[in-house]
Amino acid sequence: MPNSLLYFAATLIWGSTWLAITFQYGAVPASASVAYRFLLAGMLMLGWCALRGERLRLSLAELRWSAFQGVLMFGLSYMLVYEAEHHIASGLMAVLNSSMVLLNVLGMRLAFGRALDTKSLLGAGLGILGIALVFWPELSEVRGASSWLGVACGLGAALLASIGNLVAQRNRNLAVPLLPGIGYGMLVGGTTALLLTVLSGQPLVFDWRPQYLASLLYLAVFGSVVAFACYLTLMGRIGAARSGYIAVAVPIVALLLSGWFEGFVWRSWTFAGIACAVVGNMIMLLDVAGWLRKIGLARLAARLA
């Protein structure tokens, strides 16, 4: 599958999960919903791997690193996302999550010695600025202890997810089987959320309403199995820094869906923010330097190369 299709599949699916997650709120604790989602997703992923005849017996080291990835990426980070949205608006959570783009760039530098090139920094900066402009009304309403707790949870979720991306990059570099590694990681992440739900004294209840069941199935199959398989495959090809830009594109898709289903009001800074995000997207993912050389701007191209 070409990189562009992997990118757009993950972006479109995750953009729709913001809407699907709203059907998860209710009687079931947020951490329990995370547990149900990733336990189901892990079983489905490993079942798919078995049907494809992939190697399911991983070495102890491979299992350990897949579990570490799962705790960070599928367990703790998602629990913090759900907790953050109890205190702040989902738009602000989108802004905080977009910081993962810059965290990935810095993380690749610290963990793998990847150079901090102008292209990545400029693209990441424009992306974060664009998302901030889109959700500026929600940003301006952050006040009070509850809101700042939500901000802390949102930033913590982005940081843990970024570290999880670096672990995933390490696993790809050492040829840990991709899909089985994801499957085991999801089981460990789901188990982590389940244990923390029990230890915190929250009830392990389940919601049998059709809305909850349908959203859980969608989040497990598409939002977890399909989207993470696309994203981590893309990351193995182009690196965590560039693939992480999906964190900027996803809120834009969510915004379009919100406008369609929830009557989101578009303002001037909404369009300005989307423009910044699109330009940043082009800088991160396209050969802008080659295009600039073709039109005679070789010096500027050299800075972005």
Side-chain angles (χ1 to χ4, degrees):
M1 186 181 294
N3 292 347
S4 58
L5 188 55
L6 292 171
Y7 181 88
F8 286 114
T11 299
L12 292 174
I13 291 171
W14 276 333
S16 65
T17 58
W18 291 81
L19 189 61
I21 286 174
T22 62
F23 294 99
Q24 296 275 288
Y25 296 129
V28 181
S31 56
S33 288
V34 173
Y36 301 150
R37 171 181 175 176
F38 285 107
L39 287 172
L40 176 58
M43 289 186 286
L44 291 172
M45 179 68 84
L46 292 177
W48 173 246
C49 291
L51 289 175
R52 288 165 50 94
E54 298 204 26
R55 175 168 69 91
L56 293 178
R57 294 188 63 180
L58 305 187
S59 69
L60 184 59
E62 290 174 332
L63 285 172
R64 184 168 60 248
W65 281 97
S66 295
F68 186 33
Q69 175 186 333
V71 169
L72 295 169
M73 186 176 288
F74 309 124
L76 297 179
S77 65
Y78 267 89
M79 290 178 64
L80 285 176
V81 167
Y82 278 60
E83 180 61 29
E85 291 196 19
H86 282 298
H87 302 278
I88 58 177
S90 60
L92 177 53
M93 183 60 228
V95 178
L96 298 172
N97 192 60
S98 70
S99 67
M100 188 173 64
V101 181
L102 185 57
L103 291 173
N104 281 357
V105 172
L106 297 175
M108 289 295 288
R109 170 63 180 172
L110 294 173
F112 302 104
R114 192 74 55 85
L116 292 176
D117 59 287
T118 304
K119 175 181 177 179
S120 297
L121 292 174
L122 180 59
L126 281 172
I128 295 172
L129 173 62
I131 298 303
L133 285 172
V134 166
F135 296 104
W136 177 251
E138 294 178 3
L139 281 172
S140 62
E141 294 176 0
V142 177
R143 56 179 65 91
S146 178
S147 293
W148 286 111
L149 175 60
V151 169
C153 288
L155 288 174
L159 177 61
L160 290 175
S162 182
I163 298 173
N165 283 334
L166 298 177
V167 175
Q169 183 69 63
R170 179 261 177 206
N171 291 346
R172 290 291 286 161
N173 292 347
L174 296 181
V176 175
L178 176 64
L179 297 184
I182 296 174
Y184 288 120
M186 287 179 172
L187 289 180
V188 172
T191 302
T192 301
L194 194 69
L195 289 174
L196 290 176
T197 302
V198 173
L199 291 174
S200 64
Q202 299 180 88
L204 278 179
V205 296
F206 194 81
D207 190 343
W208 294 100
R209 292 177 304 148
Q211 304 97 299
Y212 186 88
L213 292 173
S215 62
L216 178 62
L217 189 61
Y218 180 78
L219 290 168
V221 176
F222 293 97
S224 302
V225 174
V226 177
F228 273 107
C230 290
Y231 172 68
L232 293 174
T233 299
L234 181 67
M235 191 183 69
R237 295 180 183 177
I238 67 175
R242 294 175 66 198
S243 60
Y245 206 87
I246 286 176
V248 168
V250 163
I252 301 301
V253 175
L255 183 69
L256 295 173
L257 291 175
S258 179
W260 182 265
F261 291 103
E262 300 175 328
F264 177 86
V265 178
W266 292 68
R267 299 176 175 87
S268 57
W269 53 71
T270 307
F271 294 99
I274 290 176
C276 284
V278 169
V279 172
N281 209 323
M282 294 173 62
I283 290 173
M284 287 287 281
L285 300 175
L286 302 180
D287 184 17
V288 178
W291 180 77
L292 289 172
R293 282 192 290 268
K294 287 181 180 179
I295 62 174
L297 298 176
R299 183 173 296 179
L300 180 57
R303 290 181 176 273
L304 294 177

